[in-house]
Amino acid sequence: MSDTLSRPTAGESRPGAAGKTLQGRSGAGAAPETRGRTTIADSVVEKIAGMAAREVPGIHSLGAGMARTFGAVRDRVPGGRPSVTRGVKVEVGERQTAVDLDLVVEYGVSIVQVAGDVRTNVITALERMTGLEVVEVNIAVDDVHLPDEEEERQDTEDRVK
């Protein structure tokens, strides 16, 4: 049995309970949500938020300056893979979560529109997948990716192999 245990509140006494009481019913007649507790790790919420933000058109990458630099180095190391949580910070409570995102947008897009789309996508994904209420999604646009930046990087990669 995995019923939820809780401590009695101040002034409440239950004889023989030794400070703990069972809540909910057990057995076949009890609703599934009363038969245990589900916890969601911060890293799970970070991954969902990171993936949802990256799905939005106009997003080049996530992460502030140094995080992106270290991430780029880590991505090039054999066996290294991109971090989905780069640029994502969350606070997770029992029923609510708050998200902070550091974004790099593509040149030419409406930053206000992209930020709104990211916010909507992150809230929708988190609430659907975790059941947590998203109280806020704060977005910091740290950079704009210019088209010629990619060409310069490809030129240096082609030269050395």
PDB file of all heavy atoms in Angstrom, residues 52-89:
ATOM      1  N   ALA A  52      10.728  22.409 -25.641  1.00  0.00           N
ATOM      2  CA  ALA A  52       9.595  23.214 -26.110  1.00  0.00           C
ATOM      3  C   ALA A  52      10.076  24.549 -26.667  1.00  0.00           C
ATOM      4  O   ALA A  52       9.555  25.033 -27.681  1.00  0.00           O
ATOM      5  CB  ALA A  52       8.602  23.434 -24.976  1.00  0.00           C
ATOM      6  N   ALA A  53      11.075  25.165 -26.042  1.00  0.00           N
ATOM      7  CA  ALA A  53      11.601  26.445 -26.531  1.00  0.00           C
ATOM      8  C   ALA A  53      12.296  26.265 -27.877  1.00  0.00           C
ATOM      9  O   ALA A  53      12.144  27.095 -28.783  1.00  0.00           O
ATOM     10  CB  ALA A  53      12.563  27.040 -25.511  1.00  0.00           C
ATOM     11  N   ARG A  54      13.054  25.187 -28.030  1.00  0.00           N
ATOM     12  CA  ARG A  54      13.794  24.945 -29.277  1.00  0.00           C
ATOM     13  C   ARG A  54      12.874  24.627 -30.460  1.00  0.00           C
ATOM     14  O   ARG A  54      13.277  24.771 -31.607  1.00  0.00           O
ATOM     15  CB  ARG A  54      14.791  23.811 -29.078  1.00  0.00           C
ATOM     16  CG  ARG A  54      16.005  24.233 -28.301  1.00  0.00           C
ATOM     17  CD  ARG A  54      16.942  23.057 -28.034  1.00  0.00           C
ATOM     18  NE  ARG A  54      18.179  23.495 -27.413  1.00  0.00           N
ATOM     19  CZ  ARG A  54      18.333  23.764 -26.132  1.00  0.00           C
ATOM     20  NH1 ARG A  54      17.312  23.659 -25.322  1.00  0.00           N
ATOM     21  NH2 ARG A  54      19.484  24.158 -25.652  1.00  0.00           N
ATOM     22  N   GLU A  55      11.650  24.176 -30.194  1.00  0.00           N
ATOM     23  CA  GLU A  55      10.699  23.849 -31.264  1.00  0.00           C
ATOM     24  C   GLU A  55      10.176  25.086 -31.988  1.00  0.00           C
ATOM     25  O   GLU A  55       9.640  24.973 -33.087  1.00  0.00           O
ATOM     26  CB  GLU A  55       9.495  23.096 -30.685  1.00  0.00           C
ATOM     27  CG  GLU A  55       9.807  21.703 -30.205  1.00  0.00           C
ATOM     28  CD  GLU A  55       8.618  21.062 -29.500  1.00  0.00           C
ATOM     29  OE1 GLU A  55       7.601  21.755 -29.244  1.00  0.00           O
ATOM     30  OE2 GLU A  55       8.718  19.869 -29.189  1.00  0.00           O
ATOM     31  N   VAL A  56      10.307  26.258 -31.388  1.00  0.00           N
ATOM     32  CA  VAL A  56       9.713  27.479 -31.940  1.00  0.00           C
ATOM     33  C   VAL A  56      10.589  28.018 -33.066  1.00  0.00           C
ATOM     34  O   VAL A  56      11.796  28.205 -32.892  1.00  0.00           O
ATOM     35  CB  VAL A  56       9.537  28.541 -30.834  1.00  0.00           C
ATOM     36  CG1 VAL A  56       9.047  29.856 -31.402  1.00  0.00           C
ATOM     37  CG2 VAL A  56       8.586  28.032 -29.761  1.00  0.00           C
ATOM     38  N   PRO A  57       9.995  28.294 -34.238  1.00  0.00           N
ATOM     39  CA  PRO A  57      10.765  28.899 -35.329  1.00  0.00           C
ATOM     40  C   PRO A  57      11.300  30.263 -34.913  1.00  0.00           C
ATOM     41  O   PRO A  57      10.616  31.034 -34.237  1.00  0.00           O
ATOM     42  CB  PRO A  57       9.726  29.058 -36.456  1.00  0.00           C
ATOM     43  CG  PRO A  57       8.621  28.113 -36.110  1.00  0.00           C
ATOM     44  CD  PRO A  57       8.618  28.013 -34.608  1.00  0.00           C
ATOM     45  N   GLY A  58      12.543  30.552 -35.297  1.00  0.00           N
ATOM     46  CA  GLY A  58      13.169  31.823 -34.953  1.00  0.00           C
ATOM     47  C   GLY A  58      14.151  31.698 -33.811  1.00  0.00           C
ATOM     48  O   GLY A  58      14.903  32.632 -33.538  1.00  0.00           O
ATOM     49  N   ILE A  59      14.174  30.547 -33.138  1.00  0.00           N
ATOM     50  CA  ILE A  59      15.135  30.305 -32.061  1.00  0.00           C
ATOM     51  C   ILE A  59      16.371  29.667 -32.673  1.00  0.00           C
ATOM     52  O   ILE A  59      16.291  28.621 -33.324  1.00  0.00           O
ATOM     53  CB  ILE A  59      14.551  29.382 -30.967  1.00  0.00           C
ATOM     54  CG1 ILE A  59      13.372  30.045 -30.286  1.00  0.00           C
ATOM     55  CG2 ILE A  59      15.626  28.984 -29.956  1.00  0.00           C
ATOM     56  CD1 ILE A  59      13.715  31.322 -29.550  1.00  0.00           C
ATOM     57  N   HIS A  60      17.526  30.302 -32.457  1.00  0.00           N
ATOM     58  CA  HIS A  60      18.785  29.720 -32.938  1.00  0.00           C
ATOM     59  C   HIS A  60      19.353  28.757 -31.908  1.00  0.00           C
ATOM     60  O   HIS A  60      19.740  27.640 -32.226  1.00  0.00           O
ATOM     61  CB  HIS A  60      19.806  30.814 -33.254  1.00  0.00           C
ATOM     62  CG  HIS A  60      21.126  30.260 -33.670  1.00  0.00           C
ATOM     63  ND1 HIS A  60      21.307  29.642 -34.881  1.00  0.00           N
ATOM     64  CD2 HIS A  60      22.314  30.207 -33.020  1.00  0.00           C
ATOM     65  CE1 HIS A  60      22.559  29.233 -34.968  1.00  0.00           C
ATOM     66  NE2 HIS A  60      23.188  29.559 -33.841  1.00  0.00           N
ATOM     67  N   SER A  61      19.424  29.194 -30.650  1.00  0.00           N
ATOM     68  CA  SER A  61      19.923  28.336 -29.581  1.00  0.00           C
ATOM     69  C   SER A  61      19.506  28.920 -28.237  1.00  0.00           C
ATOM     70  O   SER A  61      18.923  29.995 -28.172  1.00  0.00           O
ATOM     71  CB  SER A  61      21.445  28.208 -29.644  1.00  0.00           C
ATOM     72  OG  SER A  61      22.052  29.466 -29.430  1.00  0.00           O
ATOM     73  N   LEU A  62      19.840  28.195 -27.179  1.00  0.00           N
ATOM     74  CA  LEU A  62      19.572  28.653 -25.828  1.00  0.00           C
ATOM     75  C   LEU A  62      20.878  28.775 -25.076  1.00  0.00           C
ATOM     76  O   LEU A  62      21.830  28.055 -25.362  1.00  0.00           O
ATOM     77  CB  LEU A  62      18.661  27.671 -25.088  1.00  0.00           C
ATOM     78  CG  LEU A  62      17.149  27.887 -25.243  1.00  0.00           C
ATOM     79  CD1 LEU A  62      16.696  27.578 -26.638  1.00  0.00           C
ATOM     80  CD2 LEU A  62      16.398  27.033 -24.257  1.00  0.00           C
ATOM     81  N   GLY A  63      20.931  29.680 -24.128  1.00  0.00           N
ATOM     82  CA  GLY A  63      22.107  29.847 -23.283  1.00  0.00           C
ATOM     83  C   GLY A  63      22.715  31.216 -23.442  1.00  0.00           C
ATOM     84  O   GLY A  63      22.680  31.807 -24.522  1.00  0.00           O
ATOM     85  N   ALA A  64      23.279  31.709 -22.334  1.00  0.00           N
ATOM     86  CA  ALA A  64      23.986  32.982 -22.360  1.00  0.00           C
ATOM     87  C   ALA A  64      25.411  32.744 -22.842  1.00  0.00           C
ATOM     88  O   ALA A  64      25.825  31.610 -23.054  1.00  0.00           O
ATOM     89  CB  ALA A  64      23.961  33.609 -20.974  1.00  0.00           C
ATOM     90  N   GLY A  65      26.193  33.789 -22.981  1.00  0.00           N
ATOM     91  CA  GLY A  65      27.522  33.751 -23.572  1.00  0.00           C
ATOM     92  C   GLY A  65      28.418  32.611 -23.163  1.00  0.00           C
ATOM     93  O   GLY A  65      28.790  31.777 -23.974  1.00  0.00           O
ATOM     94  N   MET A  66      28.812  32.539 -21.874  1.00  0.00           N
ATOM     95  CA  MET A  66      29.755  31.518 -21.437  1.00  0.00           C
ATOM     96  C   MET A  66      29.157  30.125 -21.508  1.00  0.00           C
ATOM     97  O   MET A  66      29.849  29.172 -21.853  1.00  0.00           O
ATOM     98  CB  MET A  66      30.241  31.806 -20.010  1.00  0.00           C
ATOM     99  CG  MET A  66      31.215  32.963 -19.921  1.00  0.00           C
ATOM    100  SD  MET A  66      32.644  32.774 -21.018  1.00  0.00           S
ATOM    101  CE  MET A  66      33.514  31.468 -20.186  1.00  0.00           C
ATOM    102  N   ALA A  67      27.894  29.977 -21.204  1.00  0.00           N
ATOM    103  CA  ALA A  67      27.251  28.662 -21.278  1.00  0.00           C
ATOM    104  C   ALA A  67      27.273  28.144 -22.709  1.00  0.00           C
ATOM    105  O   ALA A  67      27.517  26.967 -22.950  1.00  0.00           O
ATOM    106  CB  ALA A  67      25.813  28.743 -20.761  1.00  0.00           C
ATOM    107  N   ARG A  68      27.029  29.036 -23.678  1.00  0.00           N
ATOM    108  CA  ARG A  68      27.066  28.628 -25.081  1.00  0.00           C
ATOM    109  C   ARG A  68      28.480  28.266 -25.504  1.00  0.00           C
ATOM    110  O   ARG A  68      28.700  27.321 -26.250  1.00  0.00           O
ATOM    111  CB  ARG A  68      26.514  29.742 -25.973  1.00  0.00           C
ATOM    112  CG  ARG A  68      25.027  29.801 -25.963  1.00  0.00           C
ATOM    113  CD  ARG A  68      24.418  30.568 -27.138  1.00  0.00           C
ATOM    114  NE  ARG A  68      25.264  31.478 -27.839  1.00  0.00           N
ATOM    115  CZ  ARG A  68      25.299  32.795 -27.654  1.00  0.00           C
ATOM    116  NH1 ARG A  68      24.552  33.347 -26.738  1.00  0.00           N
ATOM    117  NH2 ARG A  68      26.082  33.553 -28.375  1.00  0.00           N
ATOM    118  N   THR A  69      29.477  29.028 -25.023  1.00  0.00           N
ATOM    119  CA  THR A  69      30.864  28.751 -25.375  1.00  0.00           C
ATOM    120  C   THR A  69      31.286  27.379 -24.863  1.00  0.00           C
ATOM    121  O   THR A  69      31.833  26.569 -25.618  1.00  0.00           O
ATOM    122  CB  THR A  69      31.795  29.834 -24.790  1.00  0.00           C
ATOM    123  OG1 THR A  69      31.378  31.096 -25.298  1.00  0.00           O
ATOM    124  CG2 THR A  69      33.237  29.574 -25.157  1.00  0.00           C
ATOM    125  N   PHE A  70      31.041  27.118 -23.586  1.00  0.00           N
ATOM    126  CA  PHE A  70      31.394  25.806 -23.040  1.00  0.00           C
ATOM    127  C   PHE A  70      30.581  24.700 -23.697  1.00  0.00           C
ATOM    128  O   PHE A  70      31.092  23.606 -23.937  1.00  0.00           O
ATOM    129  CB  PHE A  70      31.188  25.777 -21.518  1.00  0.00           C
ATOM    130  CG  PHE A  70      32.227  26.548 -20.764  1.00  0.00           C
ATOM    131  CD1 PHE A  70      31.851  27.504 -19.840  1.00  0.00           C
ATOM    132  CD2 PHE A  70      33.581  26.335 -20.976  1.00  0.00           C
ATOM    133  CE1 PHE A  70      32.802  28.225 -19.138  1.00  0.00           C
ATOM    134  CE2 PHE A  70      34.538  27.047 -20.281  1.00  0.00           C
ATOM    135  CZ  PHE A  70      34.149  27.997 -19.359  1.00  0.00           C
ATOM    136  N   GLY A  71      29.334  24.976 -23.985  1.00  0.00           N
ATOM    137  CA  GLY A  71      28.486  23.984 -24.647  1.00  0.00           C
ATOM    138  C   GLY A  71      28.984  23.651 -26.034  1.00  0.00           C
ATOM    139  O   GLY A  71      28.962  22.494 -26.453  1.00  0.00           O
ATOM    140  N   ALA A  72      29.461  24.654 -26.772  1.00  0.00           N
ATOM    141  CA  ALA A  72      29.987  24.410 -28.118  1.00  0.00           C
ATOM    142  C   ALA A  72      31.231  23.537 -28.060  1.00  0.00           C
ATOM    143  O   ALA A  72      31.424  22.640 -28.878  1.00  0.00           O
ATOM    144  CB  ALA A  72      30.291  25.733 -28.809  1.00  0.00           C
ATOM    145  N   VAL A  73      32.082  23.766 -27.067  1.00  0.00           N
ATOM    146  CA  VAL A  73      33.279  22.935 -26.895  1.00  0.00           C
ATOM    147  C   VAL A  73      32.864  21.514 -26.544  1.00  0.00           C
ATOM    148  O   VAL A  73      33.372  20.548 -27.120  1.00  0.00           O
ATOM    149  CB  VAL A  73      34.204  23.531 -25.804  1.00  0.00           C
ATOM    150  CG1 VAL A  73      35.312  22.564 -25.446  1.00  0.00           C
ATOM    151  CG2 VAL A  73      34.759  24.866 -26.263  1.00  0.00           C
ATOM    152  N   ARG A  74      31.936  21.369 -25.616  1.00  0.00           N
ATOM    153  CA  ARG A  74      31.476  20.042 -25.194  1.00  0.00           C
ATOM    154  C   ARG A  74      30.830  19.297 -26.364  1.00  0.00           C
ATOM    155  O   ARG A  74      30.999  18.085 -26.508  1.00  0.00           O
ATOM    156  CB  ARG A  74      30.491  20.178 -24.036  1.00  0.00           C
ATOM    157  CG  ARG A  74      30.090  18.847 -23.438  1.00  0.00           C
ATOM    158  CD  ARG A  74      29.188  18.965 -22.215  1.00  0.00           C
ATOM    159  NE  ARG A  74      28.050  19.838 -22.428  1.00  0.00           N
ATOM    160  CZ  ARG A  74      27.830  20.961 -21.750  1.00  0.00           C
ATOM    161  NH1 ARG A  74      28.664  21.353 -20.820  1.00  0.00           N
ATOM    162  NH2 ARG A  74      26.770  21.699 -21.995  1.00  0.00           N
ATOM    163  N   ASP A  75      30.098  20.012 -27.230  1.00  0.00           N
ATOM    164  CA  ASP A  75      29.442  19.373 -28.375  1.00  0.00           C
ATOM    165  C   ASP A  75      30.453  18.801 -29.355  1.00  0.00           C
ATOM    166  O   ASP A  75      30.179  17.822 -30.044  1.00  0.00           O
ATOM    167  CB  ASP A  75      28.542  20.373 -29.111  1.00  0.00           C
ATOM    168  CG  ASP A  75      27.367  20.825 -28.258  1.00  0.00           C
ATOM    169  OD1 ASP A  75      27.128  20.223 -27.192  1.00  0.00           O
ATOM    170  OD2 ASP A  75      26.696  21.801 -28.665  1.00  0.00           O
ATOM    171  N   ARG A  76      31.647  19.398 -29.446  1.00  0.00           N
ATOM    172  CA  ARG A  76      32.654  18.954 -30.408  1.00  0.00           C
ATOM    173  C   ARG A  76      33.524  17.810 -29.885  1.00  0.00           C
ATOM    174  O   ARG A  76      34.204  17.166 -30.648  1.00  0.00           O
ATOM    175  CB  ARG A  76      33.551  20.117 -30.811  1.00  0.00           C
ATOM    176  CG  ARG A  76      32.791  21.136 -31.627  1.00  0.00           C
ATOM    177  CD  ARG A  76      33.659  22.325 -31.919  1.00  0.00           C
ATOM    178  NE  ARG A  76      32.860  23.372 -32.490  1.00  0.00           N
ATOM    179  CZ  ARG A  76      33.030  23.829 -33.719  1.00  0.00           C
ATOM    180  NH1 ARG A  76      33.963  23.347 -34.469  1.00  0.00           N
ATOM    181  NH2 ARG A  76      32.257  24.787 -34.162  1.00  0.00           N
ATOM    182  N   VAL A  77      33.493  17.579 -28.591  1.00  0.00           N
ATOM    183  CA  VAL A  77      34.262  16.485 -28.012  1.00  0.00           C
ATOM    184  C   VAL A  77      33.601  15.171 -28.423  1.00  0.00           C
ATOM    185  O   VAL A  77      32.377  15.039 -28.324  1.00  0.00           O
ATOM    186  CB  VAL A  77      34.302  16.610 -26.469  1.00  0.00           C
ATOM    187  CG1 VAL A  77      34.933  15.380 -25.831  1.00  0.00           C
ATOM    188  CG2 VAL A  77      35.017  17.870 -26.063  1.00  0.00           C
ATOM    189  N   PRO A  78      34.399  14.189 -28.874  1.00  0.00           N
ATOM    190  CA  PRO A  78      33.803  12.901 -29.249  1.00  0.00           C
ATOM    191  C   PRO A  78      33.000  12.312 -28.081  1.00  0.00           C
ATOM    192  O   PRO A  78      33.466  12.278 -26.948  1.00  0.00           O
ATOM    193  CB  PRO A  78      35.011  12.026 -29.560  1.00  0.00           C
ATOM    194  CG  PRO A  78      36.092  13.000 -29.928  1.00  0.00           C
ATOM    195  CD  PRO A  78      35.840  14.226 -29.101  1.00  0.00           C
ATOM    196  N   GLY A  79      31.806  11.897 -28.374  1.00  0.00           N
ATOM    197  CA  GLY A  79      30.931  11.352 -27.344  1.00  0.00           C
ATOM    198  C   GLY A  79      30.107  12.412 -26.642  1.00  0.00           C
ATOM    199  O   GLY A  79      29.172  12.091 -25.921  1.00  0.00           O
ATOM    200  N   GLY A  80      30.450  13.675 -26.831  1.00  0.00           N
ATOM    201  CA  GLY A  80      29.680  14.761 -26.226  1.00  0.00           C
ATOM    202  C   GLY A  80      28.407  14.986 -27.012  1.00  0.00           C
ATOM    203  O   GLY A  80      28.350  14.746 -28.205  1.00  0.00           O
ATOM    204  N   ARG A  81      27.385  15.420 -26.343  1.00  0.00           N
ATOM    205  CA  ARG A  81      26.140  15.708 -27.049  1.00  0.00           C
ATOM    206  C   ARG A  81      25.552  17.004 -26.515  1.00  0.00           C
ATOM    207  O   ARG A  81      25.837  17.395 -25.382  1.00  0.00           O
ATOM    208  CB  ARG A  81      25.150  14.566 -26.942  1.00  0.00           C
ATOM    209  CG  ARG A  81      24.927  14.082 -25.565  1.00  0.00           C
ATOM    210  CD  ARG A  81      24.019  12.901 -25.530  1.00  0.00           C
ATOM    211  NE  ARG A  81      23.909  12.576 -24.115  1.00  0.00           N
ATOM    212  CZ  ARG A  81      23.305  11.560 -23.641  1.00  0.00           C
ATOM    213  NH1 ARG A  81      22.729  10.727 -24.432  1.00  0.00           N
ATOM    214  NH2 ARG A  81      23.258  11.359 -22.359  1.00  0.00           N
ATOM    215  N   PRO A  82      24.759  17.659 -27.325  1.00  0.00           N
ATOM    216  CA  PRO A  82      24.197  18.946 -26.909  1.00  0.00           C
ATOM    217  C   PRO A  82      23.353  18.810 -25.644  1.00  0.00           C
ATOM    218  O   PRO A  82      22.644  17.832 -25.461  1.00  0.00           O
ATOM    219  CB  PRO A  82      23.324  19.363 -28.088  1.00  0.00           C
ATOM    220  CG  PRO A  82      23.697  18.485 -29.219  1.00  0.00           C
ATOM    221  CD  PRO A  82      24.341  17.269 -28.643  1.00  0.00           C
ATOM    222  N   SER A  83      23.445  19.810 -24.782  1.00  0.00           N
ATOM    223  CA  SER A  83      22.660  19.814 -23.555  1.00  0.00           C
ATOM    224  C   SER A  83      21.319  20.481 -23.818  1.00  0.00           C
ATOM    225  O   SER A  83      21.269  21.639 -24.232  1.00  0.00           O
ATOM    226  CB  SER A  83      23.407  20.570 -22.458  1.00  0.00           C
ATOM    227  OG  SER A  83      22.584  20.716 -21.334  1.00  0.00           O
ATOM    228  N   VAL A  84      20.267  19.752 -23.567  1.00  0.00           N
ATOM    229  CA  VAL A  84      18.914  20.272 -23.772  1.00  0.00           C
ATOM    230  C   VAL A  84      18.592  21.338 -22.735  1.00  0.00           C
ATOM    231  O   VAL A  84      17.796  22.228 -22.976  1.00  0.00           O
ATOM    232  CB  VAL A  84      17.892  19.118 -23.685  1.00  0.00           C
ATOM    233  CG1 VAL A  84      16.470  19.619 -23.826  1.00  0.00           C
ATOM    234  CG2 VAL A  84      18.180  18.080 -24.745  1.00  0.00           C
ATOM    235  N   THR A  85      19.253  21.282 -21.584  1.00  0.00           N
ATOM    236  CA  THR A  85      18.927  22.190 -20.495  1.00  0.00           C
ATOM    237  C   THR A  85      19.775  23.460 -20.488  1.00  0.00           C
ATOM    238  O   THR A  85      19.583  24.306 -19.624  1.00  0.00           O
ATOM    239  CB  THR A  85      19.068  21.474 -19.137  1.00  0.00           C
ATOM    240  OG1 THR A  85      20.418  21.054 -18.975  1.00  0.00           O
ATOM    241  CG2 THR A  85      18.133  20.288 -19.039  1.00  0.00           C
ATOM    242  N   ARG A  86      20.690  23.605 -21.444  1.00  0.00           N
ATOM    243  CA  ARG A  86      21.504  24.822 -21.497  1.00  0.00           C
ATOM    244  C   ARG A  86      20.587  26.023 -21.703  1.00  0.00           C
ATOM    245  O   ARG A  86      19.742  26.041 -22.591  1.00  0.00           O
ATOM    246  CB  ARG A  86      22.504  24.735 -22.642  1.00  0.00           C
ATOM    247  CG  ARG A  86      23.437  25.927 -22.683  1.00  0.00           C
ATOM    248  CD  ARG A  86      24.399  25.906 -23.847  1.00  0.00           C
ATOM    249  NE  ARG A  86      24.783  24.583 -24.258  1.00  0.00           N
ATOM    250  CZ  ARG A  86      24.976  24.229 -25.533  1.00  0.00           C
ATOM    251  NH1 ARG A  86      24.804  25.093 -26.499  1.00  0.00           N
ATOM    252  NH2 ARG A  86      25.330  23.009 -25.838  1.00  0.00           N
ATOM    253  N   GLY A  87      20.736  27.047 -20.865  1.00  0.00           N
ATOM    254  CA  GLY A  87      19.923  28.248 -20.982  1.00  0.00           C
ATOM    255  C   GLY A  87      18.578  28.155 -20.303  1.00  0.00           C
ATOM    256  O   GLY A  87      17.737  29.037 -20.465  1.00  0.00           O
ATOM    257  N   VAL A  88      18.351  27.089 -19.530  1.00  0.00           N
ATOM    258  CA  VAL A  88      17.065  26.881 -18.865  1.00  0.00           C
ATOM    259  C   VAL A  88      17.305  26.764 -17.362  1.00  0.00           C
ATOM    260  O   VAL A  88      18.142  25.971 -16.923  1.00  0.00           O
ATOM    261  CB  VAL A  88      16.363  25.599 -19.363  1.00  0.00           C
ATOM    262  CG1 VAL A  88      15.010  25.426 -18.682  1.00  0.00           C
ATOM    263  CG2 VAL A  88      16.213  25.610 -20.868  1.00  0.00           C
ATOM    264  N   LYS A  89      16.563  27.541 -16.592  1.00  0.00           N
ATOM    265  CA  LYS A  89      16.589  27.429 -15.130  1.00  0.00           C
ATOM    266  C   LYS A  89      15.137  27.346 -14.672  1.00  0.00           C
ATOM    267  O   LYS A  89      14.276  28.050 -15.197  1.00  0.00           O
ATOM    268  CB  LYS A  89      17.255  28.648 -14.495  1.00  0.00           C
ATOM    269  CG  LYS A  89      18.718  28.774 -14.809  1.00  0.00           C
ATOM    270  CD  LYS A  89      19.321  29.986 -14.111  1.00  0.00           C
ATOM    271  CE  LYS A  89      20.738  30.181 -14.570  1.00  0.00           C
ATOM    272  NZ  LYS A  89      20.892  31.325 -15.451  1.00  0.00           N
TER     273      LYS A  89
END
